Amino acid sequence: MWHRIEVDGVPAYWAEGDDDLHRVFLAFRVGSADEQLAWRGITHLVEHLAMHAIGGHVHDSNGRVDATTTVFGTQGDGAGIASFVAELSRAFQALPFNRIELENQVLRAEADTRGTALTNPLMIWRYGAATYGLPGYEEFGVGRHTPDQITAWAGRWFTRRNLVLVFAGGRPPAGLTIDLPEGERVPPPRPSSALPGTPAYFRQPGGVVAMNSLVRRSTAAQVYSTLLRSRLHRSLRQEAGLSYTPSTSYDPRDGRYAHVTAYTDGLPQNHDRLLSAFLEEIELLADHLVRPKEIAEIVARVRATRRRTSSTGWAYGNALRELVGAEALTDAYMESSLNAVDTELIQQTAGEVLDSAVVMVPGSRAPSARYRPAPKFSSSGVDGQVLYSTNAPVDSSRLVVAPEGVSLFRGPKPITICYRDCEAMLAWPDGARKLIGRDGFILMIEPALWAHGSSLTAQLDTGVPTDRVVPMPLRPAEAIPIAKTSPYERIRARFKR
C-alpha cells in the first residue's frame, strides 16, 4: 500500500520497501522538452553539477533526465536519506561552477556512447525540433552555458512547488526540510506539431518498421498495447517468420496523453511483406471487433502484471502522475477500469491509434492510401535574391534569400526556413551554415557551392536570432565541399538544354 503526505509542505509518496534498504527520489517537473534546441542540454548539465555537489553520495546515487522530468535518487539508512535530501536541496543554490568544463566533457562522452533511440525519428516527424521532438536531437548547448544561465535555469525549475518526493522502505525520516525556493508547478509544455495531418508515413533507412500514435491516457490504451504486441508476435514471428522482435510500448507523454509505439525488424528482402503484415494487424483492430475471449485473456495478463508491481512502484508512478497533472491511481479505480475494458472500448482505442499514427517505413513500398506521406517540402517559398549553383546548369538548384528567410529549390517545390522559426543554426568558421526549422526541416548551406554566394553567411547571420546560433569547430579542408563539375561539363550541359 502507498500513502500520500506532505514533507515540509512538499507532496510526498511513501510505501514499505521490499528489503531493508531505504530509498528516496526527488522528481522535478522539468526535462529536455522544456528546453530550446540551440541550448539543449542545460537540464542535463544542472543534474550533473548537482550530483557532483553532493559528492559523498555519488556511489549509491544517480540522476536522470527525460522529456518532462528530472529525477534524483539514492538508497541508505534513514540518516543517509535525510542527508541526501538536505544536501541536494542546498546544491541547486550553490552549484559548483568550477566543474562546468569537466562536466561538459562527461556529457560529451556520455553522448558519444549513447545509441540512437528507435523513437527519435518518430518523435521528430511528429513534433519537429521543439517540445517532445527535442530528445531526438544532440545537446547543442553543451559547452556554451554560462553560470548566469545555469543559475537562472535552476532557480526557475528546481523549486519546492515543482517537486514531488518518493520514499521507499517506510515513512520519511522525521524533521526533513526542503531548502529550495518556493517557485511554481509548471505543467508539461504544449506540444509542437510538424505534420499537417495523420495517419502519415515517412521513409527511414534501416530495417525497422515502426508506428507511433497519440492516445488519451487510459487503462484501455494499456490493454490495447499489450493486445497489439500479442498479435504482432503471433502473426510476424510465429506464423510468418518475418521478425524476431515485434514489440509495443505505452508511454505517458503528459497528464492527459500517452504514446503507443509498435515496432518490428526484418530482413531487407522481407520489408514489403513485413510492412503489410504489420499495418494489417493495426488496421484489423480498428476495423473489426475483437473476440471477448481474447480481450479477457489480455486483461488477465495486464491485471497480473499490475498485481506484481510493488507498493514502491505504485508510489513512484503516482508521484510522477501528480507531477504532470494526472490523478493518482487507486486499487479500486484500477480494478474497475480493467473490468470496463470490452470489445467496443478496445475498438475505440484502436481507432485513436490508427487515426493518429505516424509510420516509419524502411523499404521502397508505400503504405496504402489510408496513410498520407509526411511532407518532404514546405508549403511555400520566400521571394528574394536568387542564387544558382556553381555546378549549374548540371545542377539546377536555386537558393532564394530574403529578409524573412531562405528557400532551397531542387525542382518546383522548396524547403523553406523562416528565420523566426529557426530553432538552431549551426555555424562553422569557414562560413557554412546549417539551419534547423521548428518543423524539423534542415537546410545545409555551403556558400562555396553558390555563385555569388560570398555574402550568404552575413545574410544568414543577420537574419537568424543570435540566441539560435550554435558555433561549431573548425572543419578540416577536405570536409569543405567544392564545385564538382568541370567548366567543360557545365558548357556541355548548356548546349543540351
Side-chain angles (χ1 to χ4, degrees), residues 307 397 434 438 454:
R307 287 175 176 171
S397 301
K434 184 176 185 177
R438 188 174 178 83
S454 58

Side-chain angles (χ1 to χ4, degrees), residues 125 201-205 275 359-367 374 376:
W125 276 98
Y201 74 92
F202 66 94
R203 302 188 190 281
Q204 181 77 12
L275 175 64
V359 180
M360 184 166 73
V361 178
S364 58
R365 180 179 174 182
K376 296 180 181 179

Side-chain angles (χ1 to χ4, degrees), residues 283-365:
E283 293 165 6
L284 281 173
L285 288 173
D287 296 338
H288 302 280
L289 291 173
V290 181
R291 292 179 298 109
K293 181 181 178 182
E294 185 178 7
I295 290 180
E297 292 171 352
I298 298 299
V299 167
R301 192 183 305 175
V302 173
R303 179 178 282 114
T305 299
R306 285 184 168 184
R307 287 175 176 171
R308 288 194 298 270
T309 303
S310 67
S311 296
T312 299
W314 285 117
Y316 186 85
N318 278 324
L320 295 187
R321 290 178 67 87
E322 177 171 337
L323 200 58
V324 297
E327 293 185 4
L329 298 178
T330 64
D331 291 342
Y333 171 81
M334 290 185 290
E335 191 62 27
S336 66
S337 64
L338 277 174
N339 291 336
V341 175
D342 57 16
T343 56
E344 288 79 11
L345 191 52
I346 286 297
Q347 188 176 32
Q348 178 184 328
T349 303
E352 283 187 64
V353 168
L354 183 57
D355 288 345
S356 64
V358 178
V359 180
M360 184 166 73
V361 178
S364 58
R365 180 179 174 182

Side-chain angles (χ1 to χ4, degrees), residues 7 12-14 21-27 57 60-62 71-78 80-86 88 163-170 172-173 176 178 312 316:
V7 172
Y13 290 74
W14 70 272
L21 287 174
H22 292 261
R23 297 178 178 85
V24 64
F25 302 94
L26 292 85
H57 296 274
D60 54 8
S61 307
N62 205 351
V71 181
F72 300 85
T74 194
Q75 62 183 23
D77 57 21
I81 293 294
S83 174
F84 178 83
V85 172
L88 185 63
L163 167 66
V164 174
L165 302 167
V166 183
F167 296 88
L176 279 179
I178 313 299
T312 299
Y316 186 85

